[in-house]
Structure formats: C-alpha cells, structure tokens
Amino acid sequence: MYKTSFIKKAFLAVIAISLYSCDKDFNAIGDGLVGDDHFGLEAEKYDVLAFNQEVTPVQSNSMTPNALGIFDNPLFGTTTANFVTQVGLESYAPTIGESPVVDSVKIEIPYFSHVLSTDAQGNRTFELDSIYGDKNGKLKLSVYESGIQMRSSYFSGGGQLPQYYYTDQNTEFFNQKKGDRLNNGGALENDEFYFDAREIVIKTKDASTNVVTTTRKEPQMTLHLKKEFFQDKILNAAASKFSTEDVFQEYFRGLYFNVERSGSNPSNMALIDFSAGKITIYYKAKTASTADDATATENKTIALNLKGVSSATSGTVNFLEDARNPDYASAITTNVNKTEGDEKLYLKGGQGSVAVIKLFNPTDVLSYNAAGEPVSGANGVPDQLDEIRSNAVVKNWKVNEANLVFNIDAEKMANTEEPNRVYLYDLTNNAVLVDYSTDPTSTYGGLISVGSDKRGKSYKIRITNHFRNLIKDATAKNVDLGLVVSQSPIAVAFNPLKNKNEIISAAPRTSVMSPLGTVIYGGKSSVPVDKRLQLEVYYTKPN
C-alpha cells in the first residue's frame, strides 16, 4: 500500500511564479491553442542527457513527518532513522502543588492509520500507513534525555541566521545523551518494540454509579517512562525553571529516540508526526491543609508537548544513516557519466540520490535575425532548442503538450517497495516548475503508472508550459532539472545540503522525507528505444 494518509493533513501552499517573455516578437510563439490535448498527433521525440547525483548530508530539522526505525531495502541498502525533539510545557508557570509524588508517566504519539472495519460493538480494526519493511518488524527502542540544546537561529557577521541540523549528526547527539534509558514499561515498549496497529480501548468505572465509560483511541505509540526521572526533573524542580519556554528548553533539552536491531527479528520503519505527541505526568499532591486531614492528597497531571514545526522555537531533527549496497553506491558516485548520461537512474529519498536532467545539450549559442530565423554561430551548428525555436517562428509549429516519461526498471525493482510519486523541479535555482505551480496534483503528473501485476511501469510528468517558455524566450536559460522520489505533492520547500557543489546545493524536502527509492532508465543511446528517457512533444503543424 502506498503511504499517503498524512498528505491529507497538510495545508497546500503553492508559490506563484510569474511568466515572462523576452520581447514582443516571441510572445505568441508556441501558444494560441485550445487546451493541451495532443488529439492523437504523433510526437516528436528529443534526446535527453540524464545522470546520477549523490545527495550528501542534508538539513533535516523542523520538518514533519519524521522517520523512526530501520528499513532494509534489498536494492539500495539499509537506512537507520533516529530522532530528537525539544519538549515544552503545555502551560508555563504551572502550580504543581505541595509534596508531589509521581504515580506514572506516559508518552503518547499517534500513528498514521485508517479503519479497515468496525464490528457491532464498535470495535475498530486499523491498518497503519507509512510503515516500511516487514509488517511484523521489531526494534530495540531507547528514549533518552537529550544533552544538546537546539537553537532556531544564531548570530554571524552582524546578522541572525537560521540554525540548521543535518542528517549525519546522530553520533553527536548519541554521545551527548544523558543518563539511562527512560522507557521502562517492558520488552514490548523497548527491547522488542513494534508499531502496534490495534485500537486502544480504555474502560473506566465510576465508583459511585458503577457506570462504565469506554474511551477509544486510534493506534499510537504508548511508552511508560521512568518515574524517578520526572520526579526530579519536573516535580522537584525550582519554579523558576518553568517561567518561559526559552528557560525551560535550556533546562530540559529534549528527548532523543535511538533505534537498534532487536536480536534476530526483522526490522521496519515508520513515518510519524511527532509534533502530535504528548507526555503526561500523573501524580499526587497534598490538598490545602484542613483540621480534618492534613495529609489528604489529590490526583493531578502535568502535560508536556513534543515540539514540532508548529512551534516558533521548534527543534526536531531526523538523523538518517545509510549502509549502501555496493552497486547503488558506485552508481551514484564513481560510475557517473556526465557526458553521455547514465543507463540507469537511481532515485532515493533521505540522504540518497537525485537524477540530473538536461533537456538539450547546446553546441552553439545562436542569434536571430528580424524574421526570427536562427543565425549560425562560430561552428555553424544549431542545437535542438534552436531548431525548435526556428520551427515555431518560421513554420508556425504550436506546442500542444510536452512530457517526460520515466520508465521503471521492473527487473531491478521486482522485490522492492516502490514510491508512489516522483517530483521534477528546477535544479539550477531550487524552485518549482511553472507546470507544477499551475496544477501540482492533477495535470502535472508524477504518479506511478502500474500494470496488471500491480507493479510500477512508469512515471509521466507534463512540462508543457516550461517547454513553451523556452521557445518564447530566445534568451531564457535552459536550466538543469532534478528528479527525486516524492513523499508529498505539497511539500515544496528545499533543504540545503551540508556540502554544496557545482551541481546541487539543496534537496526537495518531499524527497528528504521519503525512505523509498526507484530505478528508472536514462537517456543514454545504449538504452533500448522503448525504455529510453526522451522528451516527447506534440505539435500542431499548419499544412
């Protein structure tokens, strides 16, 4: 099942992009059509240069959802995802009470899930979404107090800059964790932890009326935490530590979630919205002294929220450690062919890889005469884009539709979980394409196309408006494009890389969020024509 439930919870925010043209002579080139359908016209196909590019450590703080677990991918290797988050009081300057004593402490974090069925008694059967790997996988889960205070910004050169944390900083946070493991509720909550899909049903009986009340909760992570720690850290702390959020986060620097393999059990990974998590401390405190009973106590609670992206001073970081399979590692590092392109393009989320796509490989930059015809440059050889522009001006060809179709290597992907969507963007400027900003979830495309065997065949992305703009404007820069796996069609932000290079400086957040990968065919001439990546353009050609 494709993991999409959390997408429905997100808010769509698409950046408006202004279209422009060089001058009035090009304003109408390629336009003037009714709709974008190709009406059965035969496509013109153009070669595409595409090659692999490694994604080095990438910024991973203040984003949601976050991965937790170990995902063994037979094609790409193993990804281990750990996580750290700040915590904050539900309300500051609380009144804790006199002589408080902890009864119990629980942390609850809901999973993404959906209902499969409901019986006559109202009991619901759920299935978890966004779970990767073995459904029965187990993990050794350890929750610690974090020893690093995370900042949202820092000062440099007289200015205030955002603070970035990266996917490769797990060792730093692990080495500075404090004390012993806090989750001590039994093996199923630590050494043999698993993502439980069962509905949580709580029945309470009123002592005076004997009426039973049933409370139902959707599947969630529920861990009992060490009472002694919260007795000292919260209930016995000086009131001054609870005065403001900044003071409290300096005092209690957060929780660090670390995963390891659980013996010989298979493992798995989940995407979780940690910002919806909550810690509840249940305790007793003395009531106001009375002559009747000076030792009387009352039941009380104090709540702490896990600080997600909804907080202005949020601090969350996802750490992603990859043990790459040798073939995949060499494909994205040592065996990259930037001149002829690569036969196979490896796309992987997280700290993975992206495909770099060049629509046209110019051999000369031409100028145009008054009639709009290209004038040959030094070597007298126009490139494909120059020829297309000439056809638009001289022959009045109109662009109906332009597509890139990415064919999946079904043999390599046979035993691997497939991403539901890929995302194409302006790699040169780290920006969305105009076709995406016009309609990100419908005509733009990117969704997987499956065959009768329910396995992926291809991904198709429409770049009609992007292509038209290249034709309209003879001076428009033919930017490099990037192709990545996509977890959400509406997560359009870009996360900077720790080590930038001349090709890539950031990765789309939608890709950083995804643990999946796929292999598609490139545009190299050695790839069979029916699998080869090409730009297909449908024109209206006057008789």
Side-chain angles (χ1 to χ4, degrees):
M1 168 172 286
Y2 298 120
K3 316 300 192 297
T4 59
S5 71
F6 75 90
I7 296 174
K8 300 175 183 177
K9 303 177 186 291
F11 176 78
L12 178 60
V14 177
I15 303 170
I17 295 179
S18 299
L19 306 181
Y20 67 95
S21 58
C22 175
D23 55 52
K24 64 181 180 180
D25 292 332
F26 284 93
N27 281 346
I29 296 174
D31 289 340
L33 298 176
V34 179
D36 284 333
D37 294 327
H38 54 72
F39 303 109
L41 299 175
E42 185 174 345
E44 297 280 346
K45 295 188 177 181
Y46 305 98
D47 293 335
V48 174
L49 176 67
F51 56 86
N52 292 296
Q53 172 65 49
E54 178 186 18
V55 174
T56 55
V58 59
Q59 178 241 337
S60 60
N61 59 306
S62 298
M63 65 179 193
T64 193
N66 295 103
L68 182 71
I70 302 172
F71 178 36
D72 295 312
N73 188 308
L75 182 58
F76 294 93
T78 296
T79 299
T80 300
N82 297 310
F83 177 75
V84 67
T85 179
Q86 289 178 331
V87 297
L89 290 169
E90 197 166 67
S91 61
Y92 285 89
T95 301
I96 292 177
E98 184 182 351
S99 302
V101 177
V102 173
D103 282 335
S104 63
V105 184
K106 287 197 303 185
I107 184 170
E108 298 171 299
I109 308 170
Y111 299 138
F112 294 113
S113 63
H114 63 276
V115 177
L116 292 178
S117 62
T118 305
D119 65 18
Q121 287 72 45
N123 298 306
R124 298 172 294 176
T125 300
F126 284 86
E127 182 175 54
L128 298 184
D129 302 317
S130 303
I131 299 290
Y132 304 90
D134 195 304
K135 289 184 177 181
N136 299 313
K138 292 185 177 182
L139 300 163
K140 179 181 179 182
L141 173 63
S142 300
V143 181
Y144 297 96
E145 179 186 7
S146 176
I148 295 178
Q149 183 184 13
M150 291 181 287
R151 301 174 296 175
S152 60
S153 64
Y154 68 99
F155 288 93
S156 177
Q160 190 171 8
L161 302 175
Q163 176 70 56
Y164 294 143
Y165 296 92
Y166 296 91
T167 50
D168 67 340
Q169 290 185 260
N170 182 65
T171 299
E172 178 184 350
F173 277 78
F174 179 84
N175 289 340
Q176 295 194 50
K177 66 186 186 301
K178 293 184 175 181
D180 299 327
R181 180 164 64 178
L182 297 178
N183 50 321
N184 63 350
L188 297 182
E189 296 184 17
N190 42 62
D191 286 356
E192 297 180 13
F193 170 83
Y194 69 102
F195 299 107
D196 193 345
R198 290 177 297 179
E199 179 182 42
I200 297 173
V201 180
I202 303 171
K203 295 182 181 293
T204 55
K205 185 176 181 180
D206 187 277
S208 58
T209 65
N210 290 328
V211 174
V212 176
T213 302
T214 301
T215 302
R216 299 180 182 277
K217 294 183 180 181
E218 296 180 356
Q220 63 180 22
M221 177 190 295
T222 302
L223 305 176
H224 290 81
L225 303 180
K226 193 174 181 181
K227 295 190 297 183
E228 296 81 3
F229 172 83
F230 287 91
Q231 179 74 48
D232 292 337
K233 196 73 178 182
I234 304 298
L235 299 189
N236 295 347
S240 60
K241 301 298 184 182
F242 305 146
S243 58
T244 67
E245 185 172 63
D246 289 343
V247 171
F248 182 74
Q249 288 177 356
E250 161 64 23
Y251 171 65
F252 189 1
R253 298 184 174 184
L255 295 178
Y256 167 68
F257 293 72
N258 180 262
V259 294
E260 303 170 75
R261 293 193 182 276
S262 175
S264 60
N265 292 305
S267 59
N268 59 9
M269 177 185 292
L271 290 183
I272 305 173
D273 181 7
F274 280 91
S275 67
K278 183 176 182 178
I279 301 169
T280 305
I281 304 171
Y282 300 88
Y283 69 99
K284 288 182 172 63
K286 285 185 179 181
T287 59
S289 297
T290 66
D292 295 332
D293 188 356
T295 63
T297 61
E298 61 179 332
N299 294 323
K300 303 188 72 173
T301 62
I302 186 169
L304 298 88
N305 295 324
L306 304 191
K307 307 303 288 186
V309 295
S310 60
S311 171
T313 58
S314 65
T316 63
V317 188
N318 222 160
F319 308 114
L320 304 173
E321 298 177 311
D322 283 337
R324 293 170 176 165
N325 284 348
D327 289 347
Y328 168 55
S330 62
I332 66 172
T333 53
T334 58
N335 291 334
V336 177
N337 190 332
K338 298 179 182 179
T339 303
E340 298 177 337
D342 292 326
E343 289 188 351
K344 304 290 177 67
L345 303 176
Y346 289 76
L347 314 180
K348 185 183 178 300
Q351 187 180 312
S353 51
V354 56
V356 179
I357 297 171
K358 297 177 179 287
L359 292 184
F360 304 101
N361 192 18
T363 56
D364 196 10
V365 178
L366 305 186
S367 59
Y368 290 80
N369 61 23
E373 299 168 325
V375 178
S376 297
N379 61 21
V381 181
D383 69 6
Q384 285 183 327
L385 184 54
D386 291 315
E387 293 177 352
I388 293 168
R389 286 169 172 163
S390 177
N391 288 335
V393 174
V394 178
K395 299 181 181 180
N396 200 29
W397 287 15
K398 307 289 188 182
V399 177
N400 282 59
E401 186 177 318
N403 301 309
L404 286 170
V405 179
F406 305 94
N407 293 294
I408 298 171
D409 186 335
E411 183 177 351
K412 279 191 174 295
M413 292 297 296
N415 300 311
T416 305
E417 197 167 350
E418 299 178 295
N420 192 30
R421 184 184 295 270
V422 296
Y423 172 61
L424 187 72
Y425 65 101
D426 176 348
L427 176 65
T428 300
N429 300 301
N430 294 322
V432 299
L433 296 179
V434 61
D435 296 84
Y436 177 90
S437 66
T438 301
D439 194 345
T441 59
S442 180
T443 59
Y444 170 76
L447 279 170
I448 194 169
S449 174
V450 299
S452 57
D453 59 355
K454 306 300 182 184
R455 297 295 299 173
K457 300 301 180 185
S458 63
Y459 302 93
K460 178 180 178 180
I461 294 180
R462 179 178 294 189
I463 57 168
T464 307
N465 292 320
H466 174 73
F467 183 69
R468 284 174 178 166
N469 288 346
L470 287 177
I471 299 174
K472 289 179 187 179
D473 188 350
T475 65
K477 184 177 180 181
N478 181 23
V479 298
D480 291 345
L481 304 179
L483 185 73
V484 294
V485 297
S486 173
Q487 185 63 37
S488 165
I490 57 178
V492 297
F494 289 82
N495 288 19
L497 267 60
K498 191 174 185 178
N499 304 306
K500 303 174 178 62
N501 58 47
E502 70 280 2
I503 295 176
I504 183 171
S505 61
R509 182 166 297 178
T510 184
S511 176
V512 181
M513 289 160 50
S514 174
L516 295 179
T518 189
V519 182
I520 57 178
Y521 289 96
K524 194 173 182 179
S525 59
S526 55
V527 176
V529 175
D530 63 329
K531 300 293 185 183
R532 189 183 307 164
L533 170 60
Q534 292 181 305
L535 171 64
E536 57 178 34
V537 183
Y538 296 90
Y539 296 98
T540 295
K541 304 176 182 179
N543 295 327

